[in-house]
Amino acid sequence: MNQTEPIVIRRADLDDFCRVQKFLAEYWDDGNHIFVRSSEYFKYFHVVDGRFNVYLGEGKISKTIYGICAYVICNRLQETDVQLNLLRVIKNNNSFDSLQLLDYVKKDLNCRIFSSCGVRPKAKVIYDFLGYYTGKLDHYYRLADKDDYKIAVVKEKNIPKIKDGKYSLRLLPSFEDFKAHFDTRVYKHHKPYKDDWCIEHRYYKSMAHTYQVYGIDKGKDVYDSIIVLREVCHNNAKICKIVDFIGLDEDIGELSSEFQRLIDENDYEYIDFYCTGISHSIMEKAGFILRTSDDENIIPQLFEPFVQANKDIYFFTNDINGFHMYRGDSDQDRANIIE
């Protein structure tokens, strides 16, 4: 039913969960979205402390849902940082559109940082119109020196020489280890700010993926920086994704020999990193090259299912000053398959 009626925009509550899930089944990815197939995984992403982090626009008379906007939070501060990961408004006779829904959500949340990672290219115009900063994440990679690649397609084997780094990586296997060696509160000024709860929830308690959280060891008991990695296996081969980073950007530049060690010890085809906010000179010092539009090599991003193609990841933010974003933000490292 698509009648003409006033539209009410409001925060959804848990009683709306099945209705929102049904909306996704009808209007997103041919009904095959993981949040449709797994209620538990949907709740893992979007229910925090009993609060359903979804807004909906529904007909005042019919109660038909015409649009939804879902988001994740980066911390539990009162003025939190928000990352959108679902936005869909269907055609209707009520002049209701994505612009109205986004504007309402931003004002109602009263958040400090309002952003998203994984913006669809066709939707970029919406954020441009609303005055947000939009861009594309840089995609860096470092290849292993192999005769044959089963995941990547390598037409030009460009492998920068390693410069001995000053620092090493130390695995923090448990959340208790993480808290003992790293203080997220030091980086409350970061945009966005990810607190202890966020790191534990996203990486130590992940429902679908296994992450490795490393401290960057400078010989001190408390680390200035941490980096999050995820190993991916496909076609009897392995690669490593850098998923997230918190700390001092320049620390990454001192890890070139450590990244090469990880490649050698684990027989990775490559290590890659999607990011914005970290300078090219730092990534170059770390031994990575930037994938450009002229690059003929293919460094796949999608594995569930596997797609042997390059992928650009677009983002928006309300504040670009000091802003950092990685592939672990929003839902860009979300699982599509849960074993």
Side-chain angles (χ1 to χ4, degrees), residues 139-144 152-154 156-160 263 269-274 283 287-292 295-299 310:
H139 187 196
Y140 292 96
Y141 66 96
R142 179 172 182 82
L143 291 171
V153 176
V154 179
E156 182 180 359
K157 194 188 294 183
N158 183 0
I159 305 176
I263 288 173
E269 285 195 6
Y270 60 84
I271 294 179
D272 76 324
F273 190 23
Y274 281 91
M283 293 306 300
F288 287 79
I289 64 171
L290 176 66
R291 179 178 65 80
T292 67
D295 197 332
E296 294 187 278
N297 293 338
I298 294 176
I299 310 298
N310 288 322

Side-chain angles (χ1 to χ4, degrees), residues 68-306:
I68 67 165
C69 180
Y71 66 92
V72 294
I73 60 173
C74 298
N75 60 67
R76 278 172 155 171
L77 296 180
Q78 185 173 357
E79 189 182 34
T80 188
D81 297 330
V82 165
Q83 296 176 337
L84 303 188
N85 66 336
L86 287 173
L87 175 65
R88 180 77 168 96
V89 174
I90 62 172
K91 290 182 179 179
N92 60 86
N93 296 325
N94 306 292
S95 301
F96 175 59
D97 58 26
S98 299
L99 296 173
Q100 296 172 50
L101 182 55
L102 272 172
D103 187 55
Y104 182 94
V105 171
K106 173 65 169 64
K107 290 176 180 176
D108 193 61
L109 285 171
N110 192 32
C111 52
R112 185 185 66 134
I113 301 298
F114 190 62
S115 65
S116 182
C117 183
V119 172
R120 298 190 179 196
K122 289 183 179 179
K124 181 175 172 289
V125 64
I126 297 173
Y127 304 102
D128 289 332
F129 181 82
L130 289 172
Y132 294 112
Y133 181 94
T134 60
K136 183 175 72 174
L137 298 187
D138 294 324
H139 187 196
Y140 292 96
Y141 66 96
R142 179 172 182 82
L143 291 171
D145 188 2
K146 289 181 171 290
D147 295 326
D148 181 52
Y149 298 85
K150 297 180 179 180
I151 295 175
V153 176
V154 179
K155 296 187 177 181
E156 182 180 359
K157 194 188 294 183
N158 183 0
I159 305 176
K161 291 183 179 180
I162 286 296
K163 302 172 184 176
D164 288 337
K166 296 179 182 178
Y167 309 141
S168 59
L169 292 172
R170 177 179 170 182
L171 183 65
L172 301 173
S174 70
F175 183 58
E176 288 68 30
D177 291 318
F178 172 83
K179 289 193 296 182
H181 294 283
F182 188 75
D183 186 356
T184 57
R185 294 171 298 180
V186 173
Y187 296 105
K188 276 189 177 180
H189 63 286
H190 274 198
K191 303 172 185 177
Y193 164 57
K194 296 167 186 172
D195 62 5
D196 283 354
W197 167 82
C198 180
I199 299 302
E200 181 182 29
H201 180 72
R202 290 192 185 185
Y203 302 124
Y204 285 102
K205 290 185 175 180
S206 172
M207 276 187 59
H209 291 150
T210 299
Y211 294 96
Q212 294 178 313
V213 181
Y214 286 90
I216 297 179
D217 191 349
K218 302 178 180 179
K220 300 184 297 182
D221 191 52
V222 176
Y223 303 138
D224 294 323
S225 306
I226 61 106
I227 194 165
V228 183
L229 310 179
R230 182 165 74 87
E231 181 180 284
V232 181
C233 302
H234 178 76
N235 196 23
N236 295 316
K238 294 187 293 184
I239 63 98
C240 181
K241 298 182 176 190
I242 300 177
V243 175
D244 210 339
F245 173 78
I246 303 174
L248 306 176
D249 291 358
E250 56 267 27
D251 288 354
I252 294 177
E254 299 296 339
L255 293 174
S256 56
S257 54
E258 284 292 88
F259 289 130
Q260 187 60 47
R261 177 180 65 81
L262 290 175
I263 288 173
D264 295 339
E265 289 181 358
N266 297 285
D267 195 27
Y268 294 141
E269 285 195 6
Y270 60 84
I271 294 179
D272 76 324
F273 190 23
Y274 281 91
C275 63
T276 194
I278 298 178
S279 73
H280 178 65
S281 60
I282 287 174
M283 293 306 300
E284 189 177 51
K285 187 177 181 183
F288 287 79
I289 64 171
L290 176 66
R291 179 178 65 80
T292 67
S293 57
D294 298 326
D295 197 332
E296 294 187 278
N297 293 338
I298 294 176
I299 310 298
Q301 151 72 352
L302 301 177
F303 286 82
E304 300 176 27
F306 177 65

Side-chain angles (χ1 to χ4, degrees), residues 11-12 14 17 40-54 71-77 80-81 195 197-198 201-202:
R11 173 186 285 279
L14 282 175
F17 184 86
E40 186 179 5
Y41 198 50
F42 192 5
K43 290 176 180 178
Y44 163 78
F45 261 86
H46 290 292
V47 178
V48 178
D49 298 328
R51 187 170 183 166
F52 192 21
N53 290 334
V54 172
Y71 66 92
V72 294
I73 60 173
C74 298
N75 60 67
R76 278 172 155 171
L77 296 180
T80 188
D81 297 330
D195 62 5
W197 167 82
C198 180
H201 180 72
R202 290 192 185 185

